[in-house]
Amino acid sequence: MSTESLLQDNSPAEWDSLEYHKSTGTDSQASQDYLIFFISGNPGLIYYYEPFLSKLQSLLSLSSFSPAHFQIYGHSYKGFEISPHVDSISEPAGLKQQIKHHEECLRGQVRKHQGEFPGKSLKVILVGHSVGSYVLLELIQRHKQMVQNDDEVDDFDLIGGILLFPTIAEISQSNLGRIARLILPLPGFVGAVGVIARFVTSVLSESALNRVVQLATRFPEYAAKTTTAFLKSSMGVKQALHLARDEMRMIKNEWDSELELGTILGKEGEFVHGNVVIRDANKGLQDRWVADHTRDNIIRAQKEQGQVRKEEYTTQSVIDDRGTRHDFCTTLDSSDYVAGEVKNWIDDIIMRHGQMMRRSSTFGKPPVGQPT
């Protein structure tokens, strides 16, 4: 049985990308267009997020901003392809390649919009989960540098960023990161696990493997099927381990100063507003992939924002006291809950951006990074 038969009952036409559209109001010509560009965690299969993104789509229809058109788009990381007609890469891709891959995907969606609606403005909000939050920050930095250097860039406004359980600094110091940094560098480890995975998936039928996955993980059907497809893909297991090893090596301290200054997503008048979701340490909730000191830095940054030049900062640290798992996308209840929160933050980002633009027009000049 092929991967196609495994997912055909409840998957979109393209299993390596998800795209949704939702409009509010009836005047499509006068509507403001928004692209919600989603970046997943590792393993980077976008289909884990199908319930989350489809729920977000339905909730955006309730947005108070009208007329507006919302496009939600997310794409799997390189090396995680499960569509039978997609040629996967021959060697696993590292974190830098994944950043470039998502930058190309983002600009591809922007160019597609420009081709379909020439002259119509597009506002972009980035949403990243886990290591996707690190990719998100890198995309912001690259876009910012291109604008500041007057390089040719696609015409869009980057107005917001949402980081869900972000692994953006010292991931190797987290509880699970400490284990990963010990075993992932072992010579031959990644290759050996890949060989074992291929052997197991060749012995078991897809239906049997899917049952084993469900029993072992207690995942709902969509997540179990995605995991089964991931295990049977030509590069998936090796790619996930290679990327995790790269995360341990690369995700160090480069964003620490940003955290301490409370400017992780920029100051008002620059590029973006945003929300950072972390666990509530006061209730004993610990994110096993986010180091405690990273969490504490984010909380301290939020406190500093309330004391120093509060009017300039628009980043908000959102404390999760519900006990939502880091891998929220593998349960339907958590997917629905996070979708509801993200919808509210999207509304807030749009509102704050509108206020910023009205203030800047009053003083006669646009914010830094916004087109004149």
Side-chain angles (χ1 to χ4, degrees):
M1 186 181 293
S2 67
T3 303
E4 181 176 2
S5 63
L6 178 69
L7 294 177
Q8 65 182 356
D9 292 337
N10 61 347
S11 65
E14 295 290 341
W15 299 317
D16 297 319
S17 65
L18 289 173
E19 183 173 357
Y20 303 92
H21 294 266
K22 182 60 67 174
S23 296
T24 63
T26 57
D27 190 347
S28 60
Q29 293 300 318
S31 68
Q32 173 59 59
D33 291 358
Y34 297 93
L35 169 61
I36 314 301
F37 187 82
F38 181 75
I39 310 167
S40 73
N42 183 17
L45 284 83
I46 195 63
Y47 201 73
Y48 279 117
Y49 299 88
E50 195 278 335
F52 162 68
L53 294 177
S54 61
K55 180 67 173 181
L56 179 60
Q57 174 209 26
S58 66
L59 292 174
L60 285 173
S61 65
L62 305 175
S63 175
S64 59
F65 298 95
S66 180
H69 178 79
F70 295 94
Q71 176 196 2
I72 303 173
Y73 182 83
H75 199 286
S76 294
Y77 284 51
K78 291 181 70 67
F80 289 97
E81 293 86 359
I82 60 176
S83 295
H85 62 279
V86 173
D87 294 328
S88 183
I89 54 180
S90 58
E91 293 295 330
L95 187 53
K96 288 184 178 180
Q97 291 173 280
Q98 302 294 359
I99 294 169
K100 182 179 179 182
H101 167 67
H102 280 87
E103 184 178 30
E104 292 172 348
C105 287
L106 171 58
R107 299 203 175 278
Q109 290 302 304
V110 172
R111 287 191 291 269
K112 179 181 176 183
H113 178 272
Q114 292 171 338
E116 295 178 351
F117 307 100
K120 195 173 185 182
S121 68
L122 178 67
K123 300 186 185 300
V124 175
I125 298 174
L126 303 179
V127 183
H129 173 226
S130 192
V131 70
S133 297
Y134 182 91
V135 176
L136 179 155
L137 293 176
E138 291 289 338
L139 293 183
I140 290 175
Q141 188 68 16
R142 291 185 180 202
H143 181 74
K144 189 173 183 177
Q145 289 174 349
M146 292 182 72
V147 172
Q148 290 175 340
N149 295 335
D150 291 325
D151 294 336
E152 183 178 349
V153 295
D154 296 308
D155 184 19
F156 69 94
D157 292 347
L158 182 56
I159 69 168
I162 299 172
L163 284 68
L164 305 173
F165 307 102
T167 56
I168 54 177
E170 292 292 1
I171 185 176
S172 64
Q173 299 299 318
S174 64
N175 287 353
L176 291 180
R178 291 189 183 98
I179 299 173
R181 71 178 180 180
L182 292 176
I183 64 174
L184 288 173
L186 295 176
F189 175 78
V190 172
V193 173
V195 170
I196 294 171
R198 284 195 297 274
F199 173 76
V200 172
T201 55
S202 66
V203 171
L204 296 177
S205 66
E206 286 188 358
S207 59
L209 180 60
N210 192 51
R211 286 195 295 271
V212 170
V213 169
Q214 283 189 292
L215 289 172
T217 63
R218 298 183 180 180
F219 283 170
E221 185 176 8
Y222 77 93
K225 284 186 174 183
T226 305
T227 303
T228 301
F230 159 64
L231 293 173
K232 291 187 71 68
S233 63
S234 61
M235 181 67 71
V237 173
K238 187 176 181 180
Q239 173 61 67
L241 294 172
H242 179 86
L243 181 56
R245 184 168 60 187
D246 229 22
E247 292 173 44
M248 299 303 122
R249 181 177 60 86
M250 289 183 60
I251 300 179
K252 299 295 185 182
N253 298 314
E254 61 264 48
W255 294 113
D256 267 3
S257 61
E258 299 292 318
L259 289 168
E260 292 168 3
L261 292 172
T263 58
I264 189 169
L265 291 177
K267 290 182 292 186
E268 185 172 359
E270 292 191 348
F271 280 81
V272 290
H273 311 276
N275 297 276
V276 184
V277 182
I278 52 179
R279 305 303 290 275
D280 189 346
N282 294 325
K283 291 194 175 182
L285 301 174
Q286 190 173 49
D287 190 325
R288 294 179 297 170
W289 283 112
V290 177
D292 290 347
H293 69 268
T294 298
R295 175 202 63 214
D296 295 340
N297 279 349
I298 295 174
I299 294 174
R300 183 172 67 252
Q302 179 65 31
K303 291 180 179 178
E304 290 178 358
Q305 288 178 207
Q307 299 169 357
V308 182
R309 295 189 301 174
K310 179 179 179 180
E311 71 281 359
E312 293 189 8
Y313 294 99
T314 54
T315 304
Q316 302 178 62
S317 299
V318 182
I319 310 299
D320 171 51
D321 59 2
R322 186 177 181 268
T324 310
R325 289 169 37 164
H326 183 93
D327 57 341
F328 73 89
C329 58
T330 59
T331 63
L332 289 169
D333 178 60
S334 292
S335 292
D336 286 352
Y337 168 73
V338 175
E341 296 297 291
V342 169
K343 186 269 180 185
N344 292 334
W345 298 331
I346 288 173
D347 283 351
D348 184 63
I349 287 170
I350 294 173
M351 179 192 69
R352 289 172 178 268
H353 178 73
Q355 292 172 345
M356 179 187 71
M357 295 301 291
R358 286 191 291 273
R359 283 198 298 271
S360 64
S361 63
T362 300
F363 290 100
K365 65 177 183 178
V368 177
Q370 304 292 348
T372 56

